[in-house]
Amino acid sequence: MATVVVVETAKQFEEILEKAKRSLVVVHFWAPWAEQCTQMNDVLTELAKEYAHVIFVKLEAESVPEISEKFEISSVPTFLFFKNCQKIDRLDGAHAPALTKKVQQHSETAKQDLNDQLRKLIKSAPCMLFMKGTSQEPRCGFSKKIVEILNEHNVRFSTFDILSDDDVRQGLKVYSNWPTYPQLYVNGELVGGLDIVKEQAESGELDKICPKEMGLEQRLKTLINKAKVVLFMKGNKAMAKCGFSRTIIEMLNETGVDYETFNILEDEEVRQGLKTFSNWPTYPQLYVNGNLIGGLDIVKELKNNGELLSILKEENAS
């Protein structure tokens, strides 16, 4: 049964707002000596029953003066509405119909905002797993098992830790009409929980619907072809992390040719694998149309010979 939270300190008030995040919080600033406040407390209790996803709070205005002063509470009853720790509305006086209308309006907006976020999360990767913990550190047996199944089938997937966001944890159950976790989504559509994923793994259906993890060689081919000109370096265009990378960036910038960079310091697998793949032991490495041009010395030589710009422009032509 929904209840109204009684707040007695400023710290408690701030903690409630922080924990609520996107949820709507309705705060009743009241006083025990005001009969209208008692009546509106009864209204608040009834609203809490109807709007379970809204957080209703009672705060005795004179007992927590720092909060009352901060929000300029000069009379009771006064109602403040919060979302994302920000005040979004206010109602002064004992107006039950007006309070009910505002709660309805703001709760619908909060619900829509959450649904929009859930849609984005579900579609943030082709295969999305909502679980307790992460793929490296599952926090329950069901989540651990489903991660094992996906890894065994070489599925490429991303995860969202529902323990990190209670709004998502509770909201997704309603949004997808699925009461438990983990939940697996493919291309924005709910596949199901552990039992269904087990069944699909056994039937071979899982291999058909889920994207596969790319092998290292295929991944390297994709990376060197992600743009016409790609530089594998330490750091990036904005901040080179070694002198060789900084020098080659300066030379490329002088040509005016568009190029992409890949920071090898952020991916050890690519850093080591590309050396073998291209039979080139050092960095930086410059590629044009998927073909290795070379490192800093070769790029310097091409520049000194007047060939660098012509090579890049010719190879970069669409």
Side-chain angles (χ1 to χ4, degrees):
M1 180 178 175
T3 58
V4 178
V5 181
V6 177
V7 167
E8 298 178 338
T9 66
K11 182 180 179 182
Q12 186 185 2
F13 177 78
E14 291 166 0
E15 287 174 349
I16 286 175
L17 292 185
E18 181 66 32
K19 188 176 180 183
K21 296 182 181 176
R22 291 171 298 275
S23 295
L24 176 65
V25 181
V26 181
V27 184
H28 178 201
F29 289 83
W30 74 295
W33 45 262
E35 184 178 345
Q36 286 182 319
C37 290
T38 303
Q39 294 170 355
M40 294 306 290
N41 277 338
D42 292 339
V43 174
L44 213 64
T45 300
E46 291 303 312
L47 288 171
K49 295 175 185 176
E50 185 175 351
Y51 296 93
H53 58 287
V54 177
I55 300 169
F56 293 92
V57 173
K58 284 196 311 184
L59 188 153
E60 194 174 329
E62 295 171 343
S63 296
V64 195
E66 59 267 50
I67 298 298
S68 299
E69 290 171 10
K70 178 179 179 180
F71 294 103
E72 300 179 340
I73 306 300
S74 57
S75 63
V76 291
T78 293
F79 296 88
L80 297 186
F81 299 77
F82 294 86
K83 190 168 67 170
N84 293 319
C85 295
Q86 300 297 315
K87 179 170 73 73
I88 59 172
D89 205 351
R90 177 181 183 127
L91 176 67
D92 293 285
H95 307 292
L99 176 62
T100 302
K101 185 176 181 180
K102 283 184 179 289
V103 169
Q104 181 182 20
Q105 290 173 340
H106 290 303
S107 66
E108 285 301 316
T109 301
K111 184 177 179 182
Q112 185 59 47
D113 289 347
L114 177 58
N115 284 345
D116 289 344
Q117 191 211 6
L118 293 175
R119 271 191 290 272
K120 289 178 183 177
L121 281 174
I122 288 168
K123 295 180 179 180
S124 62
C127 187
M128 194 72 192
L129 178 65
F130 291 81
M131 61 179 288
K132 294 180 180 179
T134 65
S135 56
Q136 291 78 27
E137 294 185 11
R139 299 282 293 277
C140 78
F142 298 127
S143 292
K144 182 178 181 182
K145 183 60 180 176
I146 201 168
V147 166
E148 289 174 355
I149 292 173
L150 294 175
N151 285 335
E152 285 170 6
H153 286 260
N154 202 30
V155 173
R156 186 174 76 252
F157 66 100
S158 297
T159 64
F160 184 91
D161 181 5
I162 59 166
L163 299 178
S164 68
D165 193 320
D166 199 56
D167 287 347
V168 170
R169 181 179 185 177
Q170 302 304 329
L172 192 58
K173 294 179 186 178
V174 178
Y175 179 86
S176 294
N177 194 26
W178 195 269
T180 59
Y181 290 99
Q183 294 182 17
L184 181 68
Y185 294 78
V186 175
N187 296 324
E189 298 293 330
L190 176 66
V191 174
L194 176 59
D195 289 341
I196 288 180
V197 171
K198 274 184 179 178
E199 290 175 8
Q200 294 201 339
E202 291 168 1
S203 69
E205 187 66 21
L206 190 67
D207 292 321
K208 296 177 184 176
I209 66 171
C210 289
K212 293 296 183 179
E213 190 66 65
M214 207 180 285
L216 178 58
E217 183 173 342
Q218 184 57 45
R219 187 175 172 223
L220 294 174
K221 287 179 181 177
T222 300
L223 286 173
I224 65 176
N225 286 283
K226 74 172 183 174
K228 294 292 182 91
V229 181
V230 184
L231 177 67
F232 291 79
M233 60 178 287
K234 294 179 180 179
N236 54 46
K237 282 184 185 180
M239 186 176 292
K241 293 292 185 71
C242 79
F244 299 132
S245 293
R246 187 177 302 108
T247 301
I248 202 168
I249 282 285
E250 290 170 354
M251 287 191 289
L252 289 176
N253 287 342
E254 287 173 7
T255 69
V257 173
D258 290 333
Y259 65 97
E260 298 288 333
T261 62
F262 184 93
N263 185 1
I264 59 167
L265 299 178
E266 294 180 350
D267 195 317
E268 188 65 19
E269 184 181 46
V270 169
R271 181 179 185 175
Q272 300 304 329
L274 192 59
K275 294 179 186 177
T276 304
F277 178 83
S278 294
N279 194 27
W280 195 269
T282 59
Y283 290 99
Q285 294 183 19
L286 180 67
Y287 292 77
V288 176
N289 281 346
N291 298 312
L292 175 66
I293 300 301
L296 176 59
D297 288 342
I298 287 181
V299 173
K300 271 185 179 178
E301 186 178 323
L302 289 172
K303 180 190 175 186
N304 292 337
N305 293 340
E307 298 177 52
L308 179 61
L309 182 58
S310 60
I311 285 176
L312 293 177
K313 281 192 171 180
E314 180 183 354
E315 297 292 344
N316 205 48
S318 49

